[in-house]
């Protein structure tokens, strides 16, 4: 059985991911990105004409911002 590691936190209480977790997430995202391009998905799906797939551009939210707190509150509902 694996030993459970304690979580590392920064001064604000946010969990600091391990290097191993960062590498695993990076590998997962690269694998997902390499599965298929949006154009190849559209070519293989004639049953869904008019659907446009594109990559999303995201930006991180500041955990102290009002917008972040609003999103968390709505999610928890």
């Amino acid at each position: 059985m694996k030993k459970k590691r304690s979580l590392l936190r920064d001064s604000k209480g946010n969990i600091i991911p391990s290097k191993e977790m960062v590498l695993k997430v990076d590998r997962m995202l690269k694998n997902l990105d390499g599965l298929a391009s949006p154009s190849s998905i559209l070519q293989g799906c004639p049953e869904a004409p008019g659907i446009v797939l594109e990559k999303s551009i995201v930006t991180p939210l500041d955990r102290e911002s009002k917008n972040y707190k609003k999103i968390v509150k709505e999610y928890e509902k």
Side-chain angles (χ1 to χ4, degrees), residues 34-59:
L35 288 176
S37 67
S39 60
S40 68
I41 293 170
L42 285 174
Q43 291 170 359
C45 188
E47 297 83 13
I51 295 175
V52 177
L53 301 174
E54 60 184 61
K55 292 184 180 184
S56 299
I57 297 173
V58 297
T59 56

Side-chain angles (χ1 to χ4, degrees), residues 6-18 21 63:
S6 61
L7 299 174
L8 297 176
R9 296 184 180 267
D10 64 13
S11 62
K12 294 182 179 181
N14 301 321
I15 296 172
I16 300 171
S18 67
M21 181 57 70
R63 289 178 183 246

Side-chain angles (χ1 to χ4, degrees), residues 19-33:
K19 289 181 182 181
E20 180 183 354
M21 181 57 70
V22 171
L23 291 173
K24 286 182 178 182
V25 171
D26 183 56
R27 188 174 350 131
M28 178 197 67
L29 292 173
K30 287 178 181 173
N31 288 340
L32 287 174
D33 196 37

